[in-house]
Amino acid sequence: MSAEDTEPPRKTCLLPLRDWITLCTVVCENGSQCPHHAMSKIHRQNYVELATSMAGLLVDRLSLHGENYSDNETKKCADLKQRSLIQAIDIKTEHFMLEISVDDFSNTSFSAGEIVSSKDFIDIYNLSQIKSILHGILGIELVPEICDKGLIESNRCLQPEYFQQFGNIFFELFTNGKTLPGEASSGKDHCLDSAEESKDESSRDNSNDGDYKHSRALEGARKHGDMSETCKAFKRLEITEVEYKLRQKLLPTPICILVTDLVQAIGGTSNDAFETLGDLSLELKQMMESPDVYLTEESVWEHMLQFRDDLLCGRMDELARLMQAAAVARVESRAFFSSVVLVRGEPGAGKSHLVQNMKHPLTKNGWLYINCNFDRFSQSQALVTISSAFEDFFRSLVELKTSIENRDHAEDGDEFLFTMLASIEDNLEVPGIVVLSQFIPSLRSLYPNIFQRVVVEELSESDCEQDDWDNANILDSSKSSSIDCIDDDCDDDDAFIDANIFQNRLQYLFQKLLRAISNPESPLFFFLDDLQWADCSSLRLLSSLVMGQDTDDNPMCVCFVGSYRSSEANINQSLVECIQSFEDSNAVLLTSISLDGLTKEGTCAMISSALKLPARLVRNLADVVHMKTLGNPLFVRTLLASMVDDQSLSYSFMTRRWMWDSKAIKLAPLPENIAIILTQKLRRMPREVQEALSIAACFGLVVDKECLKILSESSEFGGLLPHLDYAAQSGIVADHGSNYVFTHDLVQKAAYDLIPEESLDKTHFSLGLQIITPYSNERSTDELQLTSTTFIAIEQIIASRCREIPNPTFRAPLADFLVKAGERSIEMADFPLALKYITYGLDFLGGDEAWGSNFRLSLRLHEAACLACYLNVMPRQVMTFVGKIMENTDSFVDRIKAFYVLTKTLASLGKIKEAVEKIFHILEQLGEEIPNDITPDGIMFVMESTKQLLSRFSREKLLNAPKMTDYKKLWTLRFYDLSAPYLFLVNPTYVPLVECRMAQLSVRYGLCKESAFGLFGYAQCLIQIYQDLDGAHRWTKMARLVLERFNATNMFPKLTCLQYSFVNVWVEPFQATIETMDQCSQDALKIGNVEFAYYSAQFLCIEMALTGSHLEIVERKCVTVSSNMALWKQLHAFMGHLSTHLMILKLGSIDKNPFDIPGVSIKDEDQLLEQSVDRRKTLAQAIYFNRMFVAFYLQQYVYAAEMAEQYKLQRAMIMRFEDIHHSFYEALIGFQLARSPSIDTKKWLDIAEQHVATFRGWIKHSKWNFENKLLLLEAELCLLKGATESSEEKYKAAIESARRHKFVHEEGVAWELLSSYWKKCGKVKEERECKKAAFDCYEKWGAKALLDRLRT
């Protein structure tokens, strides 16, 4: 090491203790910016904080030094080191010094005048600057570690006299150089000893007046020099003269007690005594760490018990783990992991307090914070708790935006807001923002331009034709079924068609919202409190947010934190399943924190901060409280509050501190649980306040004032608000402006328990009826609006558990109100809540007896119940409600919605064939003829008749065609459209018949939204039967025009998926459709059509693999799609996708099992194939194709040929994207087998030549897609027939075409085949060059399995 790199030795010197005290007082006085005698309250507090810090530094730095003394002094110093206890006299000597380092400073003492003259002292007011003060002004800095020479050990017991000397020093320090009065420094006030006999217990007074009188008496006695009266006055004040002098300086009580105890040197058996230097150091540190608790002057509120919500006692380890999880969320978001923290514990353990203490430090570091608190009573609206949390967050953004608009200058943070708003608009787009505004109204204020545009569009639509389906007819008591004409835009019908889309759409939009507002620079901390009371819909949404991390360029950067009661978690099965899914997921970084009771030290710290007394003084009380409460924080708070109420804990105005009798508290009986204490506290309040609190508790933790105002106007519940204001002043509830909030759910539960159990049902019913009556009186049930207030009223009626309405006149209106609430909940994707509303509506209406008196309303309720049960995956209940509809209706039209739900239920159970049979039966009831067998001639006949019917259907006629108004025909098209995907899975030969029939019905009876898919199906048939790609494109565009005419934007992703899967692949470059299909998948998720979102994603993965995308990229996409398919339970597409994923893994030599996904029972491809052969032909076909594809590239030609044959056996008339590649690879396989003498050469040559002819027809539609394939097949054909020169040219042309059209894997195949050609010609050099070129192509493709094959 060079001399330049060597650090110069640290220069140290010793500052004599007396100089240190002088330095401290000057620093403190200048740091407070004011001389001590003229200090204001703020200056005094600055002085006290600085002085406390200096005292702490002194205790930590005190050392005994033995250098530079005379021989006698050195010997004396050595003797001191050998002593077991330091003598008190030693601290007065110059042997005690403060060791410091000096930069270019030679003196070892400093004058106060030099310090005061420094200009820098003027600006000193921050405690954190003390060390920099010493360095910057005096050129000194504290040594990090004390030299061990004579160091006083912190854990070593010291004599009381030693602490007396510290008391002397601290008295001088805190009083700015004043000396102790009289001989008080001896540790005991002699005047108090002489006046012991004068003690007068009756003179004690715990009032402020007594305190004032005794203080004045003391001042008078001292003024006249009357020692006896002075001592009596001290006794009346219960303080020593030392403490009195300290209080004259207006020092905080903890400082007064500390200095007094040191001066008095409390020793012996007292638990309050200092024993070691460490005890003193800890007390000073406690004060320095919480100066706002211990170092502030007393206020008028000192006599009230105060718990600081911003102080966290005994939970630092748990807080550190939370901080670590948040840091992980910020880092790992780019790795597409979700960070989840679950905090569990018993009621009152401090779960919420722990997490909420994260808010301040996180927001200071750029985090966003959303707090969502679930309530056991408040679940009246769909997703109301989560949406309210988001609304609070966005309302703050509205306030910030308003503030910016009202300013004439920019400030820091303005750009952040507008960046976030732009991100939200980019991610959600206009339709998504409009949908979420139903849950987050503040979005309307943030995007006024969007909603002005929406309002204009709504007004223009209102001028169109009115719906022929009159809502008033629904409530008609007649059993008429003459429903022949209705508009297809009927919202009631759309709910049955698209109900499951609502939930999917919301989950996706909330995912996009989180991605939009969070990023590594401003991550989001999302806290969901009391998850044990979360409803199923909220937990599903939470699960989708956590598990929905995608691999796009904008992953969400969120730390999800949930808390729940460990004793109640198992009651909520949905929560158990949600937690289990987090534990099983490989994409979730889960942190579990369990909160038990506080330790004794934690309990002591909590009581210390509440009483504003050092831990040393409350330790005996803390031990008793901890024994009784086991450290439960809420129990500790409640117990202390009850002790204040019964005066076993009281504030003494004489001593200005809290006083207690630990022995009496220890012997006092304690209720069995905290609920009893809370109830006792509530019962001590006035009766009117108790009643008001019990009524408020019926609404849950948060009580809406609007409801309370309505109730206050009634005779039964009048005068609630003033009594709740009284409760707010008592700390039972908090007034948050528009609502009251109970301070804790246990407090709310205690208030609720004040209502006698036999009166609960009546109370809830009366509350709901009183709230809803003003609304129902103002307007008819048809006009009745579903507001937040009316939802609360409904929830109260339901909470009454009253299944029958005493007054018959209320039955129909309430039932109608509940079915509307149920339908609204379905729209908001809260299916369990919808089912609850609907079933109560059925009960209120009168059950089966209502069919005769309220037929239409009863039918509507049963139809809604069918749908709600289906959406809640309750197939048995679906069958029950369908059965009741069948029993009580005669018209097939009245049964049609029930049939629709029934068929979807069968399909959801995996009974695809049964669902198709049911659909065919329904179609026959609607007048359709369904043939038992489908023949090619039959399909040709249907196709020809459809072609003739559509030949005169121009674009102009399409745009002017009438809408379909025949109700039966409309449902006929819907059932045909429903059957198409099921038929594609189990019997694809019927698909052309179904699609052509949909087109025919649309031409004859008018257009509807479903007509678009009939026209597209006809376009598919044009390709399959006539190879008419131009006609197919024309009718695909016509289908899109139909959707545009009906503004059916939610159906565009489905049509796009079908169009690019079956039509555009014939004319557009394969690679060009990849981006479109990816966007199609995202668009389908935006509108909630998960089924076609993942059909698109599955096709995207297949297309990427078959067109030469790098296999590692494709595999990562497959992983994302697999996890999301499992999350969204898309089993139909999921199974086929697993086979595709396996194909990619094999070619890429990636050691991974795609079937290893939680919830997937199938463990390998053989098991999947076994289950699919008989029931799902398209799945079996996909498996055979994937196996053929891998076998070909591994040159296992016999097995590949077998798989190609099996593929053809499963083929239907509908041509798929894989059919193109099957033709290509089967032809190449045929050429290889035709060269083998042991194989039927003619058979395979014929197969290969047929495919060559097919490609010669296809190349007319897309040279990009088919040229290189045709050239390679022709090269193989020429080689087989002996035309070697032509073969060589075509090989080279195929290679060049594949390179130009970016089919890198097919270029590799061409190089390999050319290599084989050169081998037969005996040209070794050319053979090696071609193999090297093939190797390079496969390497670009990422096919490591092929690289291994070529190496061997």
Side-chain angles (χ1 to χ4, degrees):
M1 180 180 294
S2 64
E4 295 179 358
D5 296 332
T6 305
E7 292 185 3
R10 296 178 65 86
K11 297 180 180 180
T12 62
C13 72
L14 296 173
L15 184 65
L17 186 60
R18 172 52 50 190
D19 288 345
W20 170 252
I21 296 172
T22 304
L23 171 65
C24 288
T25 55
V26 174
V27 167
C28 294
E29 184 168 294
N30 285 277
S32 65
Q33 297 185 338
C34 188
H36 195 282
H37 65 274
M39 286 185 184
S40 66
K41 182 176 180 180
I42 296 176
H43 292 141
R44 283 196 301 272
Q45 181 157 345
N46 287 340
Y47 183 95
V48 170
E49 290 184 17
L50 287 165
T52 306
S53 179
M54 290 298 182
L57 289 172
L58 173 62
V59 173
D60 290 342
R61 294 288 176 183
L62 201 60
S63 65
L64 180 63
H65 201 276
E67 295 180 1
N68 301 324
Y69 291 102
S70 63
D71 293 338
N72 291 333
E73 289 176 329
T74 303
K75 185 175 184 302
K76 182 179 179 182
C77 181
D79 292 339
L80 285 173
K81 294 179 183 179
Q82 300 301 320
R83 296 176 188 173
S84 58
L85 294 175
I86 303 296
Q87 298 294 325
I89 192 65
D90 297 333
I91 200 171
K92 292 184 177 181
T93 70
E94 292 296 314
H95 299 164
F96 280 93
M97 297 188 173
L98 191 75
E99 188 169 8
I100 57 177
S101 67
V102 182
D103 295 328
D104 301 323
F105 197 84
S106 57
N107 295 329
T108 57
S109 62
F110 317 98
S111 69
E114 292 175 350
I115 299 172
V116 175
S117 65
S118 174
K119 295 180 181 179
D120 293 330
F121 264 120
I122 304 301
D123 299 321
I124 300 171
Y125 58 90
N126 193 329
L127 257 179
S128 64
Q129 293 179 323
I130 290 177
K131 293 186 179 181
S132 63
I133 293 168
L134 296 176
H135 181 272
I137 298 174
L138 305 178
I140 64 174
E141 62 181 29
L142 297 180
V143 177
E145 297 182 2
I146 304 172
C147 178
D148 61 357
K149 296 177 181 178
L151 178 64
I152 300 176
E153 298 176 8
S154 62
N155 61 348
R156 187 172 165 187
C157 292
L158 302 178
Q159 293 176 350
E161 291 80 3
Y162 189 86
F163 292 108
Q164 290 174 351
Q165 297 304 327
F166 271 112
N168 297 340
I169 295 170
F170 288 176
F171 185 92
E172 185 175 348
L173 177 61
F174 283 103
T175 59
N176 195 24
K178 304 297 182 182
T179 57
L180 282 169
E183 298 182 7
S185 60
S186 64
K188 191 173 181 180
D189 203 327
H190 293 293
C191 71
L192 297 184
D193 290 337
S194 63
E196 189 66 31
E197 296 178 359
S198 304
K199 182 178 180 182
D200 183 3
E201 294 291 342
S202 63
S203 67
R204 297 189 181 183
D205 189 348
N206 287 336
S207 66
N208 284 315
D209 291 340
D211 191 6
Y212 176 75
K213 288 189 296 182
H214 298 324
S215 298
R216 293 296 302 272
L218 174 64
E219 290 298 321
R222 289 182 61 82
K223 183 176 181 181
H224 293 91
D226 190 335
M227 182 62 65
S228 176
E229 289 300 321
T230 299
C231 294
K232 288 181 181 180
F234 277 129
K235 278 299 180 180
R236 293 189 185 103
L237 279 171
E238 298 180 338
I239 60 174
T240 65
E241 186 175 5
V242 173
E243 187 171 351
Y244 180 77
K245 283 289 185 182
L246 292 168
R247 287 190 177 176
Q248 278 188 318
K249 297 292 184 179
L250 300 178
L251 292 171
T253 295
I255 293 295
C256 296
I257 294 174
L258 169 66
V259 177
T260 302
D261 286 353
L262 288 171
V263 171
Q264 290 180 326
I266 298 176
T269 60
S270 174
N271 290 328
D272 297 342
F274 290 107
E275 295 182 355
T276 68
L277 200 60
D279 293 341
L280 179 56
S281 177
L282 285 175
E283 187 155 321
L284 288 168
K285 286 179 180 177
Q286 183 182 13
M287 295 180 188
M288 288 186 289
E289 288 172 356
S290 302
D292 51 344
V293 175
Y294 302 103
L295 300 182
T296 56
E297 294 184 16
E298 287 83 354
S299 68
V300 295
W301 302 106
E302 289 298 306
H303 66 286
M304 297 181 65
L305 199 62
Q306 299 179 62
F307 289 97
R308 294 282 301 273
D309 290 333
D310 58 338
L311 289 181
L312 195 64
C313 302
R315 301 293 192 200
M316 300 314 296
D317 290 342
E318 292 83 354
L319 187 65
R321 293 185 65 194
L322 268 173
M323 285 291 189
Q324 182 180 7
V328 168
R330 199 168 199 166
V331 173
E332 295 294 341
S333 63
R334 289 294 177 187
F336 312 107
F337 288 103
S338 293
S339 179
V340 178
V341 183
L342 293 177
V343 183
R344 65 179 182 271
E346 293 302 312
K351 304 179 290 295
S352 306
H353 188 212
L354 169 67
V355 180
Q356 287 166 357
N357 267 270
M358 293 280 289
K359 181 176 181 179
H360 180 67
L362 287 177
T363 51
K364 281 183 62 178
N365 286 293
W367 282 73
L368 307 174
Y369 185 91
I370 294 180
N371 186 15
C372 173
N373 196 333
F374 291 97
D375 185 353
R376 85 171 84 205
F377 287 91
S378 296
Q379 297 297 336
S380 57
Q381 296 182 67
L383 299 175
V384 64
T385 306
I386 291 182
S387 58
S388 295
F390 277 97
E391 171 63 12
D392 292 341
F393 173 77
F394 280 100
R395 192 185 298 118
S396 67
L397 296 186
V398 172
E399 294 171 358
L400 177 59
K401 184 180 180 215
T402 304
S403 173
I404 293 173
E405 292 171 347
N406 293 334
R407 293 199 310 262
D408 56 0
H409 62 281
E411 293 183 0
D412 294 340
D414 294 359
E415 184 180 353
F416 163 77
L417 172 66
F418 294 112
T419 301
M420 178 184 289
L421 295 181
S423 176
I424 293 172
E425 190 167 1
D426 291 342
N427 279 269
L428 294 176
E429 300 178 353
V430 172
I433 293 174
V434 171
V435 170
L436 283 184
S437 68
Q438 300 175 58
F439 298 87
I440 310 171
S442 290
L443 289 175
R444 296 177 176 268
S445 300
L446 291 171
Y447 298 96
N449 295 335
I450 289 177
F451 287 93
Q452 288 173 3
R453 190 162 70 243
V454 171
V455 169
V456 171
E457 292 173 357
E458 290 176 348
L459 290 174
S460 64
E461 289 177 2
S462 66
D463 295 332
C464 300
E465 282 186 44
Q466 294 297 314
D467 192 351
D468 293 331
W469 180 248
D470 190 354
N471 288 330
N473 291 337
I474 297 178
L475 301 179
D476 190 358
S477 61
S478 67
K479 199 174 178 180
S480 171
S481 59
S482 57
I483 306 170
D484 296 324
C485 298
I486 111 170
D487 185 18
D488 57 295
D489 287 333
C490 177
D491 294 337
D492 195 29
D493 288 354
D494 285 346
F496 277 77
I497 306 300
D498 300 326
N500 57 340
I501 286 178
F502 296 143
Q503 182 183 42
N504 301 335
R505 176 181 58 186
L506 281 177
Q507 291 179 0
Y508 180 77
L509 289 177
F510 272 107
Q511 286 180 15
K512 298 293 283 186
L513 180 63
L514 289 188
R515 289 193 180 96
I517 66 177
S518 66
N519 56 67
E521 287 70 35
S522 57
L524 173 64
F525 190 88
F526 193 5
F527 177 36
L528 299 102
D529 198 7
D530 284 328
L531 282 173
Q532 73 275 359
W533 294 324
D535 56 286
C536 297
S537 298
S538 296
L539 289 172
R540 278 198 295 264
L541 177 58
L542 171 62
S543 181
S544 71
L545 295 176
V546 171
M547 312 286 279
Q549 187 72 284
D550 206 345
T551 55
D552 57 17
D553 294 333
N554 187 27
M556 66 179 74
C557 187
V558 183
C559 181
F560 296 93
V561 180
S563 72
Y564 63 93
R565 293 182 178 177
S566 50
S567 58
E568 300 181 27
N570 292 333
I571 299 175
N572 190 339
Q573 186 59 33
S574 298
L575 176 60
V576 174
E577 295 172 358
C578 183
I579 294 174
Q580 189 63 48
S581 68
F582 295 162
E583 292 174 349
D584 294 341
S585 174
N586 295 326
V588 175
L589 301 175
L590 181 62
T591 302
S592 295
I593 298 176
S594 180
L595 293 187
D596 298 319
L598 297 174
T599 61
K600 283 187 178 182
E601 291 75 14
T603 305
C604 184
M606 183 177 177
I607 296 176
S608 172
S609 66
L611 303 184
K612 291 192 172 183
L613 292 173
R616 170 179 61 90
L617 300 180
V618 302
R619 192 171 292 117
N620 59 349
L621 173 63
D623 289 344
V624 176
V625 172
H626 185 272
M627 177 188 68
K628 289 179 173 289
T629 63
L630 300 179
N632 183 288
L634 181 61
F635 208 166
V636 171
R637 285 188 175 207
T638 308
L639 179 60
L640 289 179
S642 68
M643 290 163 54
V644 172
D645 292 339
D646 62 25
Q647 296 187 347
S648 57
L649 174 67
S650 60
Y651 185 80
S652 169
F653 288 97
M654 292 287 191
T655 59
R656 297 183 185 177
R657 56 166 287 184
W658 288 89
M659 307 295 290
W660 61 88
D661 185 342
S662 298
K663 293 182 179 179
I665 294 172
K666 186 174 182 180
L667 296 175
L670 182 69
E672 294 180 359
N673 56 59
I674 190 173
I676 297 177
I677 298 179
L678 291 171
T679 303
Q680 291 173 349
K681 180 176 182 178
L682 293 177
R683 290 194 183 280
R684 285 193 289 266
M685 305 194 78
R687 183 179 57 82
E688 295 82 2
V689 177
Q690 292 183 45
E691 293 176 353
L693 285 170
S694 64
I695 294 302
C698 292
F699 296 94
L701 197 66
V702 181
V703 191
D704 184 40
K705 282 189 178 179
E706 185 65 29
C707 293
L708 296 176
K709 289 178 183 177
I710 297 172
L711 291 173
S712 296
E713 296 173 359
S714 67
S715 58
E716 186 176 359
F717 302 104
L720 287 174
L721 294 178
H723 300 314
L724 289 175
D725 289 337
Y726 178 89
Q729 294 174 4
S730 303
I732 304 298
V733 297
D735 189 343
H736 286 188
S738 61
N739 51 51
Y740 292 103
V741 181
F742 282 91
T743 54
H744 196 278
D745 62 88
L746 290 179
V747 178
Q748 179 261 334
K749 181 66 167 56
Y752 185 73
D753 290 340
L754 293 175
I755 305 174
E757 187 173 354
E758 61 273 11
S759 302
L760 278 175
D761 293 347
K762 180 181 177 182
T763 302
H764 280 296
F765 187 82
S766 298
L767 289 172
L769 208 59
Q770 289 288 351
I771 295 171
I772 205 171
T773 297
Y775 288 88
S776 58
N777 288 339
E778 292 175 4
R779 61 205 79 170
S780 67
T781 54
D782 289 334
E783 298 173 343
L784 199 57
Q785 298 297 315
L786 294 174
T787 65
S788 59
T789 304
T790 53
F791 266 109
I792 293 172
I794 292 172
E795 193 64 28
Q796 288 298 312
I797 293 173
I798 291 176
S800 70
R801 297 175 292 185
C802 176
R803 296 284 179 168
E804 296 181 2
I805 304 300
N807 189 343
T809 59
F810 281 110
R811 291 180 182 175
L814 277 177
D816 180 68
F817 203 83
L818 284 164
V819 74
K820 288 180 179 179
E823 291 167 349
R824 174 67 181 277
S825 297
I826 289 175
E827 292 178 6
M828 298 302 172
D830 195 337
F831 306 139
L833 185 62
L835 182 59
K836 181 171 74 170
Y837 287 150
I838 293 164
T839 52
Y840 267 93
L842 286 167
D843 292 337
F844 288 164
L845 191 60
D848 294 340
E849 299 177 0
W851 284 101
S853 57
N854 287 284
F855 176 79
R856 283 293 161 199
L857 181 55
S858 186
L859 177 61
R860 184 180 178 186
L861 280 162
H862 279 80
E863 289 173 340
C866 284
L867 181 59
C869 289
Y870 163 70
L871 296 171
N872 282 291
V873 195
M874 303 167 65
R876 290 187 179 181
Q877 288 82 344
V878 170
M879 305 303 179
T880 300
F881 284 112
V882 169
K884 288 186 177 183
I885 293 175
M886 298 302 111
E887 293 173 8
N888 293 281
T889 58
D890 298 328
S891 168
F892 182 80
V893 172
D894 289 335
R895 301 175 177 180
I896 201 163
K897 292 181 182 178
F899 281 138
Y900 191 87
V901 177
L902 177 61
T903 55
K904 297 197 76 168
T905 301
L906 291 171
S908 69
L909 295 173
K911 300 178 180 180
I912 307 296
K913 284 188 176 182
E914 291 87 335
V916 169
E917 290 171 0
K918 178 61 69 175
I919 291 173
F920 282 178
H921 174 73
I922 295 168
L923 288 170
E924 288 173 352
Q925 295 291 316
L926 288 169
E928 294 296 299
E929 294 182 4
I930 307 297
N932 294 327
D933 297 313
I934 297 293
T935 63
D937 292 339
I939 291 177
M940 285 299 298
F941 174 79
V942 172
M943 187 64 196
E944 283 293 333
S945 60
T946 306
K947 188 176 182 180
Q948 292 179 9
L949 192 62
L950 292 175
S951 61
R952 299 183 299 274
F953 208 61
S954 64
R955 183 177 184 277
E956 290 71 21
K957 287 185 177 181
L958 176 71
L959 295 175
N960 296 318
K963 293 182 179 180
M964 185 175 289
T965 56
D966 188 307
Y967 189 68
K968 290 184 178 180
K969 297 303 178 185
L970 174 63
W971 276 100
T972 300
L973 251 70
R974 286 173 173 169
F975 275 103
Y976 270 132
D977 189 46
L978 178 63
S979 70
Y982 302 153
L983 288 169
F984 186 77
L985 294 173
V986 297
N987 199 345
T989 55
Y990 272 92
V991 174
L993 173 67
V994 167
E995 293 172 335
C996 287
R997 183 60 183 154
M998 290 176 69
Q1000 293 174 4
L1001 289 171
S1002 299
V1003 173
R1004 291 172 179 166
Y1005 296 98
L1007 298 177
C1008 64
K1009 291 180 287 189
E1010 288 77 11
S1011 300
F1013 299 100
L1015 296 177
F1016 175 77
Y1018 172 70
Q1020 277 186 282
C1021 294
L1022 288 176
I1023 295 175
Q1024 311 303 324
I1025 298 173
Y1026 300 107
Q1027 288 78 49
D1028 183 4
L1029 286 176
D1030 293 335
H1033 261 281
R1034 174 173 172 265
W1035 285 106
T1036 299
K1037 292 179 181 178
M1038 298 280 266
R1040 191 167 290 273
L1041 284 175
V1042 171
L1043 294 183
E1044 290 175 357
R1045 176 179 172 181
F1046 287 94
N1047 196 28
T1049 54
N1050 61 322
M1051 291 186 173
F1052 276 117
K1054 175 182 176 180
L1055 182 60
T1056 301
C1057 174
L1058 297 173
Q1059 176 183 346
Y1060 279 83
S1061 299
F1062 296 102
V1063 176
N1064 286 41
V1065 292
W1066 297 99
V1067 291
E1068 292 188 17
F1070 290 154
Q1071 295 90 340
T1073 63
I1074 290 176
E1075 183 177 352
T1076 302
M1077 290 303 289
D1078 194 14
Q1079 185 61 47
C1080 177
S1081 178
Q1082 299 297 319
D1083 292 342
L1085 283 174
K1086 287 179 183 177
I1087 55 95
N1089 195 335
V1090 174
E1091 181 181 9
F1092 274 91
Y1094 288 110
Y1095 276 134
S1096 301
Q1098 180 191 16
F1099 180 80
L1100 172 66
C1101 292
I1102 295 171
E1103 195 172 30
M1104 290 175 70
L1106 299 185
T1107 55
S1109 297
H1110 197 286
L1111 292 178
E1112 287 187 2
I1113 297 175
V1114 183
E1115 198 278 327
R1116 287 199 295 270
K1117 186 69 176 178
C1118 285
V1119 170
T1120 301
V1121 173
S1122 293
S1123 60
N1124 287 337
M1125 281 182 172
L1127 174 65
W1128 294 91
K1129 296 180 175 58
Q1130 293 302 302
L1131 299 181
H1132 297 318
F1134 185 41
M1135 296 307 171
H1137 177 73
L1138 290 178
S1139 178
T1140 303
H1141 193 184
L1142 181 62
M1143 174 189 76
I1144 295 164
L1145 293 172
K1146 288 179 179 179
L1147 289 172
S1149 287
I1150 301 173
D1151 186 14
K1152 188 184 295 184
N1153 181 9
F1155 295 90
D1156 186 17
I1157 294 177
V1160 177
S1161 58
I1162 295 175
K1163 298 305 178 185
D1164 54 50
E1165 194 178 42
D1166 290 334
Q1167 186 182 356
L1168 180 63
L1169 180 60
E1170 182 181 349
Q1171 295 189 11
S1172 65
V1173 169
D1174 295 330
R1175 291 183 292 177
R1176 294 183 56 188
K1177 291 186 176 181
T1178 52
L1179 177 56
Q1181 191 180 21
I1183 294 173
Y1184 289 133
F1185 173 83
N1186 294 335
R1187 289 182 172 183
M1188 177 206 71
F1189 189 76
V1190 173
F1192 169 80
Y1193 276 98
L1194 295 179
Q1195 296 186 351
Q1196 300 167 354
Y1197 297 122
V1198 175
Y1199 180 70
E1202 181 183 342
M1203 293 298 100
E1205 288 283 350
Q1206 290 293 332
Y1207 178 90
K1208 286 189 292 188
L1209 293 176
Q1210 308 296 325
R1211 182 186 289 176
M1213 290 194 65
I1214 300 175
M1215 182 165 281
R1216 304 166 59 189
F1217 177 70
E1218 292 93 325
D1219 290 345
I1220 298 171
H1221 298 275
H1222 172 267
S1223 295
F1224 175 57
Y1225 289 106
E1226 188 180 45
L1228 291 175
I1229 294 166
F1231 286 128
Q1232 294 295 325
L1233 296 180
R1235 298 189 183 99
S1236 176
S1238 59
I1239 302 296
D1240 186 347
T1241 302
K1242 185 176 184 309
K1243 170 192 170 183
W1244 286 104
L1245 182 58
D1246 291 342
I1247 290 174
E1249 287 182 331
Q1250 290 173 11
H1251 288 310
V1252 172
T1254 300
F1255 272 92
R1256 284 171 179 162
W1258 288 347
I1259 198 172
K1260 295 182 296 183
H1261 306 298
S1262 176
K1263 184 178 180 181
W1264 181 287
N1265 292 335
F1266 304 123
E1267 182 187 63
N1268 73 295
K1269 298 174 179 62
L1270 177 59
L1271 287 170
L1272 186 57
L1273 295 180
E1274 288 180 338
E1276 286 284 279
L1277 182 61
C1278 291
L1279 181 62
L1280 196 63
K1281 293 189 173 181
T1284 54
E1285 291 185 4
S1286 299
S1287 176
E1288 180 183 342
E1289 293 175 1
K1290 290 186 179 294
Y1291 278 132
K1292 293 179 179 179
I1295 291 169
E1296 177 58 30
S1297 178
R1299 182 185 298 114
R1300 188 169 61 255
H1301 299 136
K1302 302 179 182 179
F1303 296 112
V1304 65
H1305 58 313
E1306 293 173 4
E1307 181 187 349
V1309 173
W1311 279 115
E1312 270 207 279
L1313 292 176
L1314 182 56
S1315 172
S1316 299
Y1317 168 76
W1318 291 128
K1319 183 178 181 180
K1320 290 180 181 179
C1321 297
K1323 296 185 177 182
V1324 177
K1325 180 181 177 182
E1326 288 80 355
E1327 175 195 354
R1328 290 178 178 175
E1329 289 175 351
C1330 291
K1331 275 193 174 182
K1332 176 63 170 59
F1335 186 95
D1336 292 342
C1337 289
Y1338 292 147
E1339 190 172 35
K1340 291 179 183 178
W1341 190 28
K1344 295 180 181 178
L1346 307 189
L1347 303 182
D1348 296 338
R1349 175 175 61 78
L1350 288 174
R1351 289 191 186 100
T1352 58

